């Protein structure tokens, strides 16, 4: 099942940018390993903001929830990370569904 994840990362006033970068570096390593393993389809860092967009392919919502809870950035500063999750349907499947509905009439 595909999901669109939209991460918005903030950091507290008492955290330095270097501390944030240390955690984000760990997160980047984990994300790139997940991409290599095929869990992450692709990911992008939005320019000029602390926002990352990810497409993942996981078998169940439970698996996604477990993965999110285990991310380095969530373990170390999860209270400062908001993730919007949107389930996705492959467009080819949608198009086939629409065509089959037309054929039934």
């Amino acid at each position: 099942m595909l999901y669109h994840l939209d991460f918005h990362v903030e950091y507290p006033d008492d955290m330095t940018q270097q501390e944030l970068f240390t955690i984000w570096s760990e997160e980047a390593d984990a994300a790139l390993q997940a991409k290599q393993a095929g869990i992450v389809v692709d990911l992008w860092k939005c320019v000029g903001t602390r926002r990352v967009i990810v497409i993942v392919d996981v078998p169940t919502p439970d698996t996604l929830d477990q993965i999110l809870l285990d991310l380095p950035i969530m373990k170390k500063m999860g209270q400062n990370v908001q993730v919007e999750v949107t389930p996705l349907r492959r467009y080819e499947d949608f198009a086939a569904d629409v065509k089959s509905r037309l054929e039934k009439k």
Side-chain angles (χ1 to χ4, degrees):
M1 188 163 187
L2 293 171
Y3 292 92
H4 171 267
L5 309 176
D6 194 347
F7 288 83
H8 296 264
V9 179
E10 298 300 327
Y11 63 105
D13 293 336
D14 62 343
M15 177 183 278
T16 67
Q17 189 180 51
Q18 264 329 102
E19 291 169 323
L20 174 65
F21 286 170
T22 297
I23 295 169
W24 214 325
S25 178
E26 290 176 46
E27 184 66 24
D29 289 342
L32 293 175
Q33 286 173 8
K35 184 174 180 181
Q36 216 170 26
I39 296 166
V40 169
V41 175
D42 214 343
L43 67 162
W44 302 267
K45 160 64 175 71
C46 298
V47 177
T49 66
R50 290 180 304 276
R51 180 178 176 204
V52 175
I53 296 171
V54 185
I55 305 295
V56 297
D57 188 358
V58 295
T60 68
D62 294 342
T63 303
L64 177 58
D65 206 29
Q66 292 163 352
I67 289 169
L68 288 173
L69 291 171
D70 289 337
L71 292 174
I73 203 161
M74 297 302 273
K75 285 182 173 181
K76 295 184 177 183
M77 53 180 290
Q79 71 277 16
N80 296 296
V81 180
Q82 287 73 46
V83 185
E84 294 176 35
V85 178
T86 305
L88 300 173
R89 183 176 184 194
R90 292 186 187 277
Y91 197 84
E92 293 83 356
D93 297 340
F94 169 72
D97 185 24
V98 169
K99 286 182 191 249
S100 73
R101 290 170 186 272
L102 286 173
E103 292 167 3
K104 288 180 184 176
K105 286 189 174 189

